[in-house]
Amino acid sequence: MAFSGALACIKPVEQTDKKPEEKYVGAKTEIVVDSSGSYYEVASEGAVQLNNTSAQIDNEASTGTKLEQAQISLNDCLACSGCITSAESILITLQSHAEVFTFLDSNKDATEGTKKLPVLSIAPQPLASLAASLTASACSSSSSSAAPPITPHQVLRRVQAFCREALGIAHVFDTTFARHLALREHLLEFEERKAKDKLGGEAAQGQLPMLASACPGWICYAEKAHSEMLPFISRTKSPQQVMGTLVKEWVGKHAGFTPDKVYHVSVMPCYDKKLEASRQDFYNDVYSTRDVDCVITTGELELMMREKGWDLAQPVPGELDEEAEAVNAESTALPELIQHAGSSSGSYLMSIIEHLQRESAVPLTLSSKIMRNADYEEFTLTVAGSGKTVFKGAKCYGFRNLQNVVRKVGRERGVRTAGGAAGRLAGRAGAGVGRRLKKAGGGGDDDGGKDKQYDYVEVMACPGGCVNGGGQLKPVLPKPQESGVDEEGYPRDWVQTGVVLPETETEMGATTALRADVDPPSVAAIESGVVTNAKWGDKDWTRRVEAAYWLDGSLESMGQAGVQCDEEGSGAAEIKMNGGPHDPDAPPRTGTISSTRQVINDNGGLDTLRAMGGGREGPTVSGRTGGRLNVKSDATSAERRRSAQRVRKQRWAEKLADRVLKELCGSDNDAVKNRHRFFRTEYHAVESDVGGLAVKW
Amino acid sequence: MAAQGTHEVQPLADLESHSDRAWNLAWNPKHPLIASCSADKTVRLSSYASSSGNTLAPKTVRAVAWSPSGKTLATASFDSNVGIWEQEQDEDEDDEDGDVDMTGQKGLGNGEWECIGTLEGHETECKSVAYSSTGTLLASCSRDKSVWIWEVQPDAEFECMGVLLEHSQDVKCVAWHPHEEILASGSYDDTIKLYVDDPSDDWYCFTTLKGHESTVWSIAWSPCGRYLASASDDKTVRIWAYAAAASDGGADSKNKVLQVKPPSVISSSQGDGRWVQVAVLDSHERSVYSVSWGKGNNGSGLGWLASAGGDGTIRVWDVQESEDSSIALNPKLIASYPEAHGVFDVNCVSWNPRAGMEDVFATAADDGSVKIWRINPSKEAGSD
């Protein structure tokens, strides 16, 4: 729950056992629950080694391996914790990097005809996470204070090289073209809803505000706790699932593979994407296959590279080259890393705002207002002259803000705010409030209608949005290894990766603040000068990943921008122009991946949701120019060239999107039906079992 | 049985019983009213003089809390919700609900009490609820391990300010600092966690108090706000304080002198001191379910601490600060009352917060009854 939310936001799965690969291999295991509620993985045939940390488990379960909670439940996601069913958790357990290895091994030996086409799609947020991590590692290991930042473009090239050379996956895409398709569908849906909303009456019910649907944590939470919100949630598939359709139905087809003969792995910033891929709605009954076969997180991808001994810090040939545009009309090449201005979580809100501005007959002025914190921001479009508000939207990230949007929408649109017992009580409450408000001489509209209701809300469960997803790499801060204190100032035993010391974990707040009577670990914390307040480090880190997300991959920007390494680890990553030459022959920096991994590995209580705010995205959502780093530049010809490039890429993406739609959906009477089949989905309220248990105290 | 100590506990009144175990009670801070709640799914409001009415909830009501104004009552219920109840101001619409039959209460007009809002969010049973000292914030906790903080807004509206998932188990209780915006929570994970708001960000847990060997059932801040008492299933009541090196302790450089400092939002999260345990009261024979810290009526010291639980005995402690430089407290048991509710567990003890009634407290127990008590100086012992 709290969702996860949060932990505070979100914690990556911790590998506490030393040989995870052996445990995951083969699906012939069962998950059993013992009397204490612990979960064990038990091999159906033969015993599995006993985890050495679980000494006092029941006899019953002792033939199995105690599972870390995070492996079977999405506690790390504040939107889901505790409420996913066992069936879901098993599906998720089956989506691991080990599964990918297992598939690749078996596919290698498969006979002609049963061999599948492996495809890997990576979302832009994992690329940003890896880029920020590599940049930070380079900073902390290099003596100079400025190093060129690693861009998502470079990371994509390196991941492609890894997949090709170490895994044998030839087809590696990023998901931004799928997002381009999703955003188009999303706009269509918004216009449909707006039209129905205008009709008023019955038809208008549940149309606006349209709520973003790309965050599976939010979807899961809404289905389980706020079914009254479901009509408002956009039916458009998320980019991951659009990518699934694209890969299985279009890329695969062009390559001569039926959907079941394509094995599609996606790399996502979020554990809940596993849950999304497992949804029944994304199962192809005809071919008995899912649009996305296996979802792994950024952290799991990094783990794969580590297990294969691949150093992502090593540049690969041609990684700074510009993307070659497909000239062949028959080509199935996809445009890469299309930047959609707006947010690093998919730019859903901004794409609608830009669309409205584009379509409007009169000039519209966009203004924005930060509400309680940077994760809750309102955007208003007004007619330039009259000041009339034509659109009001909000971006709303993090579980807490999500609560308030649910309450606000429920109140404004007159939908009841819960089901079950709560609903009964709320019903009565509603009557009471109604009476009261009537007496007060108004409803919610205290400003006499000036307070326009929302038309659209970009909802994401994670504070800071997807760049801060639970599957992303943990922050890399300077020199954690030497001092035995981790990135959050927690004392750690680095040798025993994976073994969490609960004492130091929870005592932390007390000990690091102490000077008069310190325990040994906190001495280390103070002496090392590591940030003692965990959440600041994380927030700052999110800002760095955000900055990396918007890095332009072109050669010119590479040569001119340098990232300022912040030795304190406390400042925002500031990209500055230093005019320094880019050195493509920089010596490979060894050890960066492993140090990153330590950070990932070492990670405490899974139930803990740190309340972590995302950083203000700076330039990304504040205006029409959004989507670029705040690089102070004398508008050079390079800048103009880049912008021309972007326009070209957009045009390419549009053209290809037209072609994909035509090829997939046809242009006859069934085109709309087909488009809905390929690009939209449904949501289903899940009955809550609250109160089903006989709790006595 | 005779009381021990310098004072005695005098039974004042038995309120009409609930039909199932009474879990919690709350004295209205402004009006002569007690709210009690029960597994019988009712909240009962009792005026000091006359008796009461019920309001029905769908599930067990585990805890009740009054806003500082005394006008709003919050209920924590096993239907996972927090209910917000206010009294109808006017009599003009006499809407007979059947469910709500709360009638006239002395000192608060005759309006009907109605649920004006619910706070949904907890996934499972809500266990405790509390208003901050100014009444602008409301906290709740649940078996779902979370603590939620809401800002109270006009028109029965609430804005979620934070969802804190710090505990690893069921959260049993929440308690606000008497004048700062600091929240404490106690849990089945045996710990107490303290939270403050980061003005530029969200609420966060700034410290965890560990020491109890079992569930922390109840938390009470001292009236001065410098101490925190906790009651636990490990049969102890512990007192905690924020201690820092004394600023003038330079003379004794080897043994740094610790001083108990008032916690504030700033010092608590960024100061150089830390929270320490300054007393352990271990005379209860069974689990201690409730602790309440009142001003006492002797005008000195830190006030009176009352504790009660599974052994059925109410214990009252006088808490004074040490006269030497030690920060340790040595609370003196001034009165006790065994079998306060017969053989039944006492679930809640609570001092009356109203001026002039500092020596009165109430208890709620498994037998469904709510009793009112007064502390009097013993006849034998000299008054303190």
Side-chain angles (χ1 to χ4, degrees):
Chain A
M1 157 195 77
F3 327 88
S4 320
L7 293 262
C9 171
I10 304 213
K11 302 239 174 181
V13 172
E14 187 178 350
Q15 303 288 337
T16 49
D17 42 351
K18 303 271 153 102
K19 291 183 192 163
E21 59 280 5
E22 282 169 24
K23 289 222 328 240
Y24 294 115
V25 170
K28 285 195 179 152
T29 57
E30 293 173 357
I31 291 175
V32 297
V33 185
D34 73 4
S35 51
S36 69
S38 298
Y39 288 74
Y40 295 86
E41 186 179 12
V42 181
S44 311
E45 46 214 63
V48 179
Q49 81 274 21
L50 182 60
N51 189 317
N52 49 9
T53 59
S54 54
Q56 334 146 286
I57 53 178
D58 292 2
N59 284 341
E60 251 185 328
S62 62
T63 53
T65 301
K66 187 168 185 179
L67 292 175
E68 280 304 303
Q69 231 175 333
Q71 291 174 339
I72 54 158
S73 85
L74 294 183
N75 265 349
D76 17 27
C77 163
L78 52 110
C80 294
S81 99
C83 57
I84 64 172
T85 67
S86 55
E88 284 167 337
S89 58
I90 287 163
L91 281 172
I92 286 153
T93 316
L94 291 177
Q95 302 195 39
S96 66
H97 75 288
E99 272 300 304
V100 179
F101 282 141
T102 307
F103 161 77
L104 291 171
D105 283 346
S106 68
N107 199 49
K108 208 162 46 193
D109 305 331
T111 57
E112 211 52 46
T114 58
K115 228 181 180 74
K116 294 186 178 184
L117 176 72
V119 175
L120 184 137
S121 308
I122 183 166
Q125 296 87 5
L127 293 172
S129 178
L130 289 162
S133 187
L134 289 172
T135 302
S137 298
C139 276
S140 60
S141 67
S142 111
S143 52
S144 82
S145 66
I150 310 288
T151 65
H153 178 86
Q154 285 171 285
V155 175
L156 178 62
R157 289 285 171 268
R158 296 180 192 183
V159 169
Q160 284 167 333
F162 165 70
C163 289
R164 193 172 55 237
E165 290 166 30
L167 303 180
I169 303 178
H171 298 272
V172 178
F173 304 105
D174 71 84
T175 61
T176 55
F177 177 66
R179 181 171 72 193
H180 193 80
L181 288 169
L183 287 172
R184 269 173 67 140
E185 187 64 23
H186 191 251
L187 281 183
L188 273 178
E189 186 186 354
F190 180 75
E191 288 296 348
E192 289 166 19
R193 284 172 177 265
K194 210 170 93 177
K196 282 186 191 158
D197 185 70
K198 239 181 209 136
L199 293 175
E202 282 279 307
Q205 290 299 309
Q207 298 299 327
L208 295 181
M210 180 159 126
L211 308 176
S213 62
C215 171
W218 152 237
I219 298 299
C220 175
Y221 177 67
E223 289 186 329
K224 282 166 177 156
H226 288 284
S227 57
E228 80 281 0
M229 288 294 126
L230 297 182
F232 298 97
I233 297 176
S234 163
R235 259 46 194 169
T236 303
K237 281 187 189 177
S238 72
Q240 167 175 278
Q241 295 310 133
V242 170
M243 193 69 200
T245 299
L246 188 67
V247 163
K248 293 248 168 165
E249 306 281 347
W250 192 77
V251 174
K253 195 169 279 176
H254 278 276
F257 290 84
T258 53
D260 56 321
K261 290 287 181 290
V262 177
Y263 186 80
H264 184 202
V265 181
S266 74
V267 184
M268 290 286 143
C270 169
Y271 284 95
D272 285 3
K273 283 285 173 187
K274 296 175 192 245
L275 197 57
E276 178 181 278
S278 306
R279 291 173 74 91
Q280 197 54 41
D281 309 68
F282 303 136
Y283 185 78
N284 181 331
D285 290 320
V286 178
Y287 288 101
S288 302
T289 184
R290 294 182 188 281
D291 293 344
V292 180
D293 294 281
C294 187
V295 179
I296 60 172
T297 61
T298 316
E300 286 168 317
L301 174 65
E302 202 264 359
L303 191 61
M304 287 176 80
M305 292 190 277
R306 215 159 53 103
E307 287 181 15
K308 290 285 178 185
W310 189 271
D311 183 1
L312 198 65
Q314 302 265 16
V316 297
E319 65 176 25
L320 297 173
D321 293 353
E322 272 167 33
E323 180 185 0
E325 186 171 340
V327 280
N328 184 349
E330 298 300 304
S331 168
T332 56
L334 306 180
E336 292 176 315
L337 295 174
I338 308 162
Q339 287 207 344
H340 298 102
S343 69
S344 59
S345 300
S347 308
Y348 300 95
L349 173 62
M350 196 53 69
S351 75
I352 286 175
I353 289 173
E354 291 189 337
H355 163 80
L356 293 172
Q357 286 183 311
R358 220 166 27 233
E359 302 294 310
S360 172
V362 290
L364 299 177
T365 309
L366 176 63
S367 55
S368 68
K369 182 169 103 187
I370 292 178
M371 305 303 280
R372 193 68 75 161
N373 59 17
D375 275 342
Y376 189 177
E377 196 170 2
E378 281 184 4
F379 293 81
T380 313
L381 278 177
T382 49
V383 177
S386 69
K388 180 174 180 283
T389 301
V390 295
F391 172 87
K392 189 166 170 187
K395 85 161 198 191
C396 166
Y397 298 166
F399 186 66
R400 163 197 149 186
N401 289 327
L402 188 155
Q403 290 301 315
N404 294 321
V405 158
V406 165
R407 287 182 77 88
K408 184 176 164 68
V409 172
R411 193 167 69 238
E412 288 180 352
R413 305 290 169 164
V415 289
R416 62 187 198 110
T417 56
R424 291 198 295 280
L425 197 56
R428 199 155 13 126
V433 174
R435 279 209 298 270
R436 196 158 291 239
L437 290 179
K438 243 179 280 155
K439 273 178 221 163
D445 252 4
D446 290 338
D447 305 302
K450 204 180 84 193
D451 201 9
K452 190 183 190 307
Q453 298 180 346
Y454 288 154
D455 298 297
Y456 186 86
V457 186
E458 184 173 306
V459 182
M460 302 287 159
C462 289
C466 300
V467 287
N468 185 34
Q472 298 280 66
L473 302 184
K474 290 294 280 177
V476 177
L477 292 180
K479 301 171 206 147
Q481 311 90 306
E482 289 114 296
S483 61
V485 171
D486 76 1
E487 77 281 4
E488 293 170 356
Y490 291 16
R492 289 286 193 253
D493 181 350
W494 293 103
V495 183
Q496 289 182 288
T497 50
V499 177
V500 174
L501 308 168
E503 293 300 315
T504 51
E505 172 76 15
T506 40
E507 203 95 68
M508 151 68 199
T511 52
T512 52
L514 172 69
R515 213 172 292 149
D517 176 20
V518 286
D519 298 333
S522 58
V523 176
I526 289 163
E527 283 172 0
S528 71
V530 170
V531 198
T532 54
N533 191 338
K535 67 205 191 62
W536 288 114
D538 288 345
K539 215 172 150 180
D540 171 56
W541 181 251
T542 303
R543 220 171 290 136
R544 289 182 187 226
V545 178
E546 173 84 26
Y549 178 92
W550 295 109
L551 271 180
D552 198 309
S554 63
L555 195 57
E556 290 83 356
S557 69
M558 286 302 310
Q560 292 180 347
V563 65
Q564 182 68 46
C565 294
D566 187 339
E567 297 299 335
E568 309 303 318
S570 60
E574 188 188 328
I575 309 298
K576 63 164 194 178
M577 307 296 292
N578 62 7
H582 173 61
D583 180 9
D585 300 322
R589 286 149 188 133
T590 54
T592 49
I593 291 293
S594 59
S595 67
T596 308
R597 185 56 211 169
Q598 270 181 320
V599 174
I600 295 157
N601 251 348
D602 204 309
N603 171 21
L606 293 158
D607 291 312
T608 312
L609 286 179
R610 285 181 311 255
M612 147 190 353
R616 173 97 173 86
E617 277 104 298
T620 61
V621 285
S622 54
R624 295 219 50 171
T625 57
R628 233 132 301 126
L629 268 178
N630 207 359
V631 178
K632 285 176 217 105
S633 157
D634 44 329
T636 57
S637 63
E639 175 61 40
R640 282 197 298 275
R641 232 190 94 194
R642 278 205 300 283
S643 115
Q645 241 172 48
R646 271 193 295 272
V647 171
R648 262 206 315 277
K649 195 181 277 185
Q650 285 284 341
R651 213 176 289 142
W652 175 17
E654 277 298 297
K655 230 167 84 187
L656 187 62
D658 289 340
R659 185 183 144 207
V660 167
L661 283 169
K662 199 169 153 221
E663 290 184 17
L664 279 179
C665 310
S667 45
D668 56 9
N669 294 337
D670 287 339
V672 171
K673 214 176 86 196
N674 288 336
R675 212 189 67 231
H676 283 212
R677 181 162 67 88
F678 284 122
F679 296 105
R680 298 206 185 173
T681 184
E682 295 295 322
Y683 309 106
H684 319 277
V686 176
E687 269 306 305
S688 159
D689 65 347
V690 165
L693 297 164
V695 170
K696 280 283 175 63
W697 55 85
Chain B
M1 277 182 71
Q4 51 169 276
T6 56
H7 291 64
E8 61 184 21
V9 180
Q10 175 201 355
L12 284 184
D14 281 11
L15 305 182
E16 191 186 327
S17 282
H18 286 280
S19 60
D20 200 340
R21 39 176 82 158
W23 277 124
N24 191 242
L25 66 89
W27 294 90
N28 187 303
K30 301 281 190 219
H31 308 283
L33 270 180
I34 293 179
S36 60
C37 64
S38 162
D40 69 8
K41 303 169 189 170
T42 67
V43 174
R44 188 177 293 270
L45 297 192
S46 311
S47 77
Y48 296 178
S50 70
S51 176
S52 55
N54 290 337
T55 177
L56 282 173
K59 292 265 179 181
T60 292
V61 184
R62 182 62 179 83
V64 282
W66 289 100
S67 68
S69 70
K71 288 181 180 151
T72 309
L73 181 72
T75 55
S77 163
F78 278 9
D79 66 5
S80 82
N81 290 328
V82 172
I84 306 297
W85 302 79
E86 282 185 12
Q87 195 173 28
E88 264 290 348
Q89 296 303 315
D90 309 320
E91 292 281 57
D92 55 352
E93 8 179 5
D94 201 43
D95 182 359
E96 200 58 60
D97 242 324
D99 281 344
V100 181
D101 62 351
M102 179 81 52
T103 50
Q105 294 305 326
K106 217 170 123 186
L108 256 182
N110 294 318
E112 181 180 284
W113 284 84
E114 61 178 5
C115 181
I116 59 157
T118 53
L119 302 181
E120 290 129 15
H122 285 300
E123 290 184 349
T124 54
E125 296 81 358
C126 189
K127 298 298 181 75
S128 173
V129 62
Y131 274 98
S132 67
S133 61
T134 55
T136 54
L137 296 169
L138 182 78
S140 64
C141 63
S142 157
R143 187 169 70 86
D144 67 13
K145 305 171 191 172
S146 67
V147 171
W148 289 51
I149 295 171
W150 298 86
E151 186 178 79
V152 181
Q153 297 184 332
D155 289 331
E157 213 10 82
F158 289 80
E159 185 174 331
C160 177
M161 301 301 288
V163 180
L164 301 155
L165 268 172
E166 298 288 338
H167 284 293
S168 61
Q169 299 290 343
D170 192 351
V171 189
K172 300 293 189 185
C173 55
V174 282
W176 287 96
H177 189 276
H179 42 263
E180 297 260 3
E181 287 191 347
I182 299 175
L183 181 70
S185 65
S187 163
Y188 185 65
D189 68 9
D190 306 351
T191 69
I192 297 157
K193 291 185 183 277
L194 301 179
Y195 314 86
V196 292
D197 187 20
D198 176 340
S200 67
D201 198 9
D202 285 343
W203 282 78
Y204 67 100
C205 170
F206 69 88
T207 201
T208 301
L209 309 183
K210 298 174 80 177
H212 278 298
E213 287 157 17
S214 192
T215 303
V216 179
W217 284 109
S218 173
I219 290 173
W221 292 87
S222 66
C224 67
R226 291 188 298 147
Y227 296 88
L228 181 72
S230 55
S232 164
D233 219 53
D234 68 7
K235 305 175 193 170
T236 66
V237 171
R238 292 170 201 247
I239 302 179
W240 314 78
Y242 177 74
S247 48
D248 55 349
D252 191 354
S253 60
K254 190 155 183 209
N255 295 316
K256 286 179 181 145
V257 177
L258 285 176
Q259 251 180 11
V260 171
K261 301 247 169 107
S264 69
V265 169
I266 293 161
S267 70
S268 297
S269 53
Q270 282 147 31
D272 59 359
R274 71 159 170 175
W275 287 81
V276 292
Q277 190 176 296
V278 294
V280 181
L281 311 178
D282 57 2
S283 52
H284 279 285
E285 288 149 25
R286 307 273 303 260
S287 305
V288 193
Y289 291 134
S290 182
V291 63
S292 178
W293 201 327
K295 285 198 175 89
N297 71 349
N298 55 3
S300 72
L302 298 170
W304 286 347
L305 192 66
S307 59
D311 65 8
T313 301
I314 300 165
R315 288 180 169 81
V316 179
W317 317 76
D318 180 51
V319 190
Q320 305 275 348
E321 286 184 301
S322 162
E323 279 163 23
D324 57 36
S325 61
S326 165
I327 59 168
L329 296 178
N330 188 18
K332 194 169 66 168
L333 183 68
I334 58 166
S336 64
Y337 196 97
E339 293 174 29
H341 289 257
V343 299
F344 293 97
D345 290 7
V346 179
N347 292 317
C348 178
V349 56
S350 177
W351 290 101
N352 190 324
R354 296 175 69 206
M357 305 191 80
E358 292 89 352
D359 52 356
V360 174
F361 65 93
T363 53
D366 267 2
D367 61 359
S369 68
V370 175
K371 296 187 180 186
I372 316 293
W373 314 81
R374 169 175 281 143
I375 295 295
N376 296 319
S378 298
K379 279 156 197 123
E380 310 92 77
S383 94
D384 197 339

